[in-house]
């Protein structure tokens, strides 16, 4: 015991090859984080900044890509300073990012040519509808694994190109570059206009609708259908591989991984084997199940996506149940209604009452994603009586995340034929005990949180560390997973079933709300 | 004894002014009303916004914060405290190999607001929401050491080693205040020990306590001293959380 204490507590006697840190950048929808991990996989430093989205019109959601870059450039040195790390102490940098958000920038100036169009943005509704009218919403699913929906990056590029003729010309010449957020950050980090690497990782590329899931390259047929010129697109690379050397922020450090944040969380939870799954609760909620090296097909409204690709190994695929709004609803309670002053306060507010008082909240703010895929659905608060207080509304807000989880869990179980015996969770909302208990209650299985709840960052760090040999293999990473908390189901079966019926009825009532074009 | 501190007097005057104004006031208006230069008024207002006594409305005007009516409420509630602590509590558990708890003082007891399991994947029960007798655990001692509570007479014995005499406890708390951490060995449960340190909010108020607890054989040596590295690890986590809450490094 004492020898273990000596090595775990002060890090003295560390082998030289175990020294140093992996820097993870988690560029999320709500905030940007930089986290440093040591060889034991422990978080040693963290710097974070929340950024506000812009909502220029109903349904439009934008971020400022220049500010995102500035945040990254500021947060990384700030986190490094917490442990007095110099760039020489950084063994690798890994990036995880909000997915499907499109950035377009000028190759020469290195500046964005417009706002980043965020994954929650629904401006592409007309394009998506028009394309679906000719062959159905699933016409491209056999190639890219995704249904036509406003959620994905490809239609967003189509929209941008259609709305600016000069942009199309510049894109065709390769004067402007397109990418998701990780592309933008890798390009900036590796030199920007001065030789920056224009790459996208395969997990992010699998969210565009433009990549063929089998070849892992842009599909000529899909590029044609969406009218996106190949010259403006990044090269698709594995999730774990050295892409280049940083010339900014951490000069000399190897940029060695990029994954979409949800795939990064799957990686950080060490779900490396088929059948292993996790659910991440942030702005949205995302249940992903590793399905191995064969491309899976869903018949229950799940997406097929790439889970990760380590170097030249075959890729791992995943089935995904995407929930558009979980934490974003808490944020809405804070920012739009002012019922709470911080997101975590929703828990105390919800605990002022013992139950939801009959009220349900379906947050179909961007329509509904998995398993419904209803673009025309809109949010609904139902079951209101004079009895209902803000405490009940807070309960309904938290329960909405739990019931939506049950919807995607049932879809995953139906598609995979596997029954989940417990649910691994992570993300910002897992600090909410009432929510975690409610998830356990409505699923009727234990909910388990790992020792590092910043699993998105951990996954990016793991993938980067693997690429540079800081960690030998995935087995070594698996050994670092430990249970930090577990919530066991404690709800009576009849209460659960009544709630589930009510929830499903509330969901049905959101369908078909948008009946005329928004001007 | 030093005389009155001018900036405190001025801050009080700003609060009276804003509370009575009935509308938001601009920097210049505040400066004019109090006979202060614009930069001085601005500095006072910014600081008052930082501590949460003043808010700025959409037009940039300043108003007294509604929170002023509720000054007894902790600035950082248990939910926010937990949200800020999660990463560092995990890291502390990973570093020490022990379970970690975060507590606040509630009705004289140490209320557990966050719990991280000992990282050995053995079966453990989440204790978040339970409360412990403050005088008998390290978390509670840290909380009592900085709280204006009166300790009198005798306190309930949890084990044969619980400090039950209020005067003895008061003396122990002085030591806790001075050294900045607390130790407890078998005072709550046989064979269990704990070490805890205070988490401070902006301005230095103790918002909670974080600590590890576990097998006394692992946590302390034969002479009852915490094993090497334990206290620094706990204090490091406490300081990291305090920094996130906006406390200045001490
Ligand atoms: N304690 C909490 N209770 C409920 N919601 C929370 C809590 N803490 C954070 N959130 C929500 O979680 C989201 C932030 O989590 P995070 O994992 O950082 O998201 P993202 O990665 O999408 O940026 C926000 O939408 C916020 O409202
Ligand atoms: Mg995130």
């Amino acid at each position: 015991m004492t020898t273990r204490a000596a090595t775990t507590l002060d890090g003295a006697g560390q082998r030289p090859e175990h020294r140093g840190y992996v820097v993870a950048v988690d560029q999320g929808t709500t905030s940007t984080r930089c986290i440093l991990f040591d060889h034991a996989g422990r978080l040693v430093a963290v710097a974070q900044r929340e950024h506000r989205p812009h909502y220029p019109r109903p349904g439009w959601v934008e971020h400022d890509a220049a500010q995102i870059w500035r945040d990254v450039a500021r947060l990384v040195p700030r986190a490094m300073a917490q442990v007095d790390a110099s760039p020489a102490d950084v063994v690798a940098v890994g990036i995880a990012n909000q997915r499907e958000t499109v950035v377009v920038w000028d190759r020469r100036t290195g500046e964005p040519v417009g706002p980043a169009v965020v994954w929650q943005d629904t401006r592409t509704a007309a394009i998506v509808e028009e394309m679906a009218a000719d062959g159905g919403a699933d016409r491209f699913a056999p190639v890219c694994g995704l249904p036509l929906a406003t959620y994905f990056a490809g239609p967003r590029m189509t929209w941008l190109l259609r709305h600016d003729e000069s942009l199309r010309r510049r894109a065709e010449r390769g004067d402007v570059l397109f990418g998701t957020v990780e592309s933008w950050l890798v390009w900036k980090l590796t030199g920007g206009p001065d030789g920056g690497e224009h790459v996208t990782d395969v997990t992010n590329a699998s969210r565009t609708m433009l990549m063929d899931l089998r070849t892992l390259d842009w599909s000529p047929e899909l590029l044609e259908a969406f009218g996106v010129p190949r010259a403006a697109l990044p090269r698709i690379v594995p999730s774990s591989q050295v892409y280049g050397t940083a010339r900014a922020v951490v000069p000399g450090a190897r940029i060695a991984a990029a994954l979409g944040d949800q795939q990064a969380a799957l990686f950080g939870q060490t779900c490396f084997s088929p059948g292993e799954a996790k659910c991440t609760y942030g702005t949205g909620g995302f249940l992903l199940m590793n399905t191995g090296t064969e491309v899976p097909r869903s018949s229950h409204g799940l997406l097929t996506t790439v889970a990760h690709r380590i170097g030249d190994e075959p890729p791992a695929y995943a089935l995904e149940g995407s929930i558009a709004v979980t934490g974003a609803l808490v944020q809405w309670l804070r920012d739009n209604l002012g019922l709470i002053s911080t997101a975590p306060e929703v828990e105390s507010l919800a605990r002022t009452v013992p139950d939801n008082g009959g009220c349900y909240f379906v947050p179909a703010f961007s329509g509904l994603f998995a398993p419904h895929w209803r673009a025309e659905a809109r949010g609904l608060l139902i079951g209101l009586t004079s009895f209902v207080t803000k405490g009940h509304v807070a309960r309904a807000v938290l329960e909405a995340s739990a019931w939506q989880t049950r919807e995607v869990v049932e879809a995953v179980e139906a598609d995979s034929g596997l029954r989940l015996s417990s649910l691994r969770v992570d993300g910002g909302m897992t600090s909410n005990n009432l929510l975690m208990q409610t998830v356990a209650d409505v699923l009727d299985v234990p909910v388990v949180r790992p020792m590092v709840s910043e699993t998105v960052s951990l996954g990016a760090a793991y993938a980067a560390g693997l690429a540079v040999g800081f960690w030998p293999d995935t087995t070594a990473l698996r050994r670092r997973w430990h249970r930090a908390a577990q919530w066991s189901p404690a709800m009576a079966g009849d209460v659960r079933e009544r709630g589930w019926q009510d929830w499903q009825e509330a969901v049905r009532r959101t369908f078909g709300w948008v009946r005329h074009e928004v001007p | 004894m030093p005389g009155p501190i001018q900036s405190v007097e001025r801050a009080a005057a700003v609060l009276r002014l804003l509370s009575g104004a009935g509308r938001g006031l601009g920097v210049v208006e505040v400066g004019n009303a109090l006979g202060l230069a614009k930069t001085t008024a601005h500095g006072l207002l910014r600081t008052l916004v930082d501590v949460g006594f003043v808010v700025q409305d959409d037009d940039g005007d300043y108003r007294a914060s509604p929170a002023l009516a509720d000054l007894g409420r902790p600035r950082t509630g248990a939910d926010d405290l937990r949200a800020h602590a999660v990463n560092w509590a995990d890291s502390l558990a990973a570093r020490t190999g022990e379970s970690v708890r975060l507590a606040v003082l509630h009705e004289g007891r140490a209320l557990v607001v966050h719990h991280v399991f000992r990282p050995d994947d053995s079966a453990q029960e989440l204790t978040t929401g339970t409360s412990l007798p403050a005088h008998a655990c390290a978390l509670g001692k840290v909380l009592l050491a900085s709280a204006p509570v009166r300790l009198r007479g005798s306190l309930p014995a949890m084990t044969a080693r619980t400090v039950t005499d209020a005067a003895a406890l008061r003396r122990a708390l002085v030591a806790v205040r001075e050294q900045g951490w607390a130790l407890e060995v078998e005072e709550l449960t046989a064979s269990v020990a704990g070490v805890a340190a205070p988490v401070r909010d902006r301005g230095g108020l103790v918002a909670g306590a974080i600590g590890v607890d576990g097998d006394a054989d692992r946590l302390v040596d034969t002479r009852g001293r915490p094993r090497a590295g334990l206290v620094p690890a706990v204090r490091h986590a406490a300081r990291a959380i305090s920094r996130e809450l906006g406390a200045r490094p001490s």
Side-chain angles (χ1 to χ4, degrees):
Chain A
M1 273 307 154
T2 25
T3 45
R4 189 193 60 158
T7 49
T8 55
L9 280 177
D10 49 26
Q14 218 176 36
R15 306 232 301 268
E17 67 271 28
H18 292 175
R19 267 192 221 125
Y21 306 106
V22 181
V23 167
V25 171
D26 171 7
Q27 203 302 299
T29 311
T30 308
S31 70
T32 304
R33 262 166 272 205
C34 172
I35 300 186
L36 268 58
F37 293 94
D38 66 10
H39 187 262
R42 294 181 303 221
L43 174 154
V44 298
V46 49
Q48 175 172 1
R49 189 170 185 282
E50 189 170 318
H51 55 93
R52 297 260 162 163
H54 307 286
Y55 303 106
R57 301 185 198 183
W60 287 32
V61 187
E62 298 176 347
H63 286 161
D64 177 355
Q67 160 161 16
I68 284 176
W69 166 246
R70 276 196 305 276
D71 285 350
V72 169
R74 242 179 258 157
L75 292 169
V76 173
R78 201 186 296 166
M80 286 169 59
Q82 288 173 17
V83 285
D84 291 325
S86 71
D89 300 317
V90 174
V91 297
V93 178
I95 296 169
N97 59 291
Q98 53 170 315
R99 308 172 301 171
E100 305 100 9
T101 296
V102 172
V103 185
V104 183
W105 66 95
D106 187 305
R107 184 199 285 279
R108 264 166 277 280
T109 65
E111 292 302 318
V113 300
V117 186
V118 177
W119 58 273
Q120 299 150 313
D121 188 293
T122 56
R123 75 184 65 181
T124 57
I127 290 179
V128 163
E129 207 173 308
E130 165 200 314
M131 292 179 84
D134 173 19
D138 281 329
R139 58 186 280 209
F140 303 124
V143 182
C144 68
L146 309 171
L148 271 161
T150 58
Y151 180 23
F152 305 110
R156 234 161 244 137
M157 297 182 189
T158 309
W159 189 96
L160 291 167
L161 290 161
R162 279 196 194 173
H163 282 76
D164 184 346
E165 214 16 72
S166 72
L167 188 68
R168 169 168 298 282
R169 281 196 303 277
R170 292 163 74 198
E172 279 162 359
R173 287 198 304 262
D175 290 343
V176 293
L177 302 179
F178 281 59
T180 34
V181 173
E182 92 294 358
S183 288
W184 166 238
L185 295 179
V186 172
W187 188 80
K188 287 295 255 187
L189 281 167
T190 52
D194 194 9
E197 291 287 335
H198 189 215
V199 294
T200 183
D201 109 276
V202 62
T203 68
N204 276 289
S206 77
R207 317 294 296 184
T208 55
M209 299 198 75
L210 303 177
M211 189 186 82
D212 183 328
L213 279 175
R214 282 170 196 80
T215 64
L216 305 183
D217 196 0
W218 303 120
S219 150
E221 173 207 344
L222 293 176
L223 292 185
E224 164 93 37
F226 285 92
V228 176
R230 198 180 182 120
L233 288 176
R235 183 162 53 88
I236 302 176
V237 293
S239 337
S240 170
Q241 188 180 67
V242 177
Y243 308 137
T245 303
R247 298 174 63 182
V249 186
V250 259
R254 289 169 289 183
I255 313 298
L259 302 98
D261 53 7
Q262 301 311 319
Q263 282 89 342
L266 191 68
F267 208 86
Q269 289 263 22
T270 66
C271 296
F272 299 128
S273 304
E276 293 181 330
K278 65 84 206 180
C279 188
T280 303
Y281 294 92
T283 309
F286 301 87
L287 180 75
L288 274 79
M289 178 188 271
N290 185 324
T291 56
T293 51
E294 295 298 318
V295 179
R297 270 279 151 267
S298 173
S299 43
H300 295 87
L302 301 174
L303 307 177
T304 305
T305 203
V306 176
H308 62 255
R309 183 175 186 208
I310 303 171
D312 295 329
E313 290 176 21
Y317 293 93
L319 280 173
E320 170 176 322
S322 332
I323 305 167
V325 175
T326 53
L329 183 57
V330 176
Q331 206 102 346
W332 184 83
L333 213 58
R334 180 192 78 179
D335 298 338
N336 295 34
L337 295 192
L339 284 184
I340 44 179
S341 54
T342 67
E345 275 179 19
V346 72
E347 182 168 355
S348 288
L349 182 56
R351 284 190 195 277
T352 58
V353 291
D355 56 35
N356 66 14
C359 124
Y360 290 81
F361 201 149
V362 187
F365 293 175
S366 309
L368 286 169
F369 286 10
H372 310 287
W373 300 104
R374 290 283 193 150
E376 84 303 341
R378 282 300 175 268
L380 176 79
L381 182 56
I382 199 165
L384 299 181
T385 59
S386 344
F387 173 72
V388 168
T389 65
K390 55 186 178 179
H392 296 114
V393 174
R395 282 253 168 196
V397 161
L398 294 180
E399 287 181 3
S401 292
W403 292 122
Q404 291 186 99
T405 307
R406 175 148 172 187
E407 292 178 332
V408 292
V409 164
E410 294 207 342
V412 164
E413 290 182 339
D415 267 337
S416 67
L418 299 169
R419 178 106 176 87
L420 238 59
S421 57
S422 70
L423 181 69
R424 290 187 176 194
V425 297
D426 54 76
M429 290 182 99
T430 55
S431 83
N432 191 311
N433 279 284
L434 181 58
L435 172 63
M436 293 301 105
Q437 182 60 52
T438 309
V439 173
D441 286 344
V442 309
L443 296 182
D444 201 22
V445 297
V447 165
V448 181
R449 180 179 84 78
M451 193 59 79
V452 176
S453 63
E454 296 281 358
T455 325
V456 172
S457 292
L458 185 64
Y462 277 173
L466 276 183
V468 300
F470 191 50
W471 291 297
D473 51 31
T474 52
T475 316
L477 299 179
R478 230 185 236 288
R479 278 199 299 272
R480 287 171 168 75
W481 189 98
H482 293 295
R483 190 182 326 121
Q486 173 161 329
W487 292 266
S488 305
M491 187 183 259
D494 57 327
V495 178
R496 171 167 48 244
E497 277 327 295
R498 252 196 330 270
W500 179 227
Q501 300 300 326
D502 287 351
W503 168 260
Q504 289 173 295
E505 183 55 37
V507 168
R508 264 191 296 277
R509 290 175 190 230
T510 68
F511 295 168
W513 177 256
V514 177
R515 289 153 320 215
H516 18 250
E517 291 254 339
V518 186
Chain B
M1 208 180 106
I5 294 171
Q6 190 183 41
S7 50
V8 176
E9 291 182 332
R10 284 179 172 170
V14 171
L15 290 177
R16 282 186 195 286
L17 178 70
L18 294 179
S19 302
R23 64 178 176 90
L25 298 182
V27 184
V28 175
E29 287 175 295
V30 171
N32 289 347
L34 301 177
L36 298 174
K38 189 178 162 191
T39 50
T40 313
H42 189 248
L44 283 164
L45 287 164
R46 287 309 329 160
T47 311
L48 288 166
V49 168
D50 279 351
V51 301
F53 286 2
V54 168
V55 290
Q56 224 175 340
D57 60 25
D58 290 341
D59 307 328
D61 287 340
Y62 296 90
R63 294 168 179 276
S65 163
L68 273 177
D70 206 10
L71 269 186
R73 223 179 110 211
R75 182 189 155 85
T76 307
D79 298 331
D80 287 302
L81 184 61
R82 184 189 314 109
H84 284 288
V86 169
N87 285 330
W88 298 108
D90 282 347
S91 197
L92 179 58
R95 186 165 287 268
T96 58
E98 302 296 343
S99 67
V100 169
R101 269 174 258 259
L102 180 75
V104 299
L105 203 58
H106 182 69
E107 294 171 354
R109 291 170 66 90
L111 175 67
V112 177
V113 296
H114 184 54
H115 176 185
V116 183
F117 290 168
R118 192 171 57 251
D120 59 8
D121 297 330
S122 62
Q124 294 165 66
E125 286 279 324
L126 213 53
T127 57
T128 308
T130 61
S131 74
L132 309 168
H135 67 286
C137 62
L139 293 165
K141 289 188 197 184
V142 164
L143 297 169
L144 289 175
S146 63
V149 287
R150 292 213 172 82
L151 295 162
R152 290 229 178 83
S154 79
L155 303 153
M158 311 308 296
T159 69
R161 300 185 63 169
T162 310
V163 181
T164 53
D165 174 44
L169 183 64
R170 279 201 303 273
R171 282 193 298 280
L173 296 182
V174 172
V176 168
R177 247 189 327 266
E178 277 165 7
Q179 67 190 12
W181 53 276
L183 170 71
E184 167 263 312
V185 184
E186 299 193 272
E187 293 164 45
L188 181 62
T189 312
S191 311
V192 174
V195 173
V199 172
R200 291 181 192 279
D201 210 328
R202 185 187 293 268
L205 275 179
V206 171
I210 186 165
V212 298
D213 49 74
D215 216 347
D217 288 345
R218 287 198 306 266
L219 263 67
V220 295
D221 63 19
T222 48
R223 294 161 67 183
R225 291 173 311 194
R227 84 178 197 233
L230 201 54
V231 170
V234 171
R235 298 187 75 189
H236 177 78
R239 269 196 298 266
I241 303 165
S242 304
R243 184 178 61 222
E244 299 222 344
L245 296 181
R248 288 178 209 279
S250 49

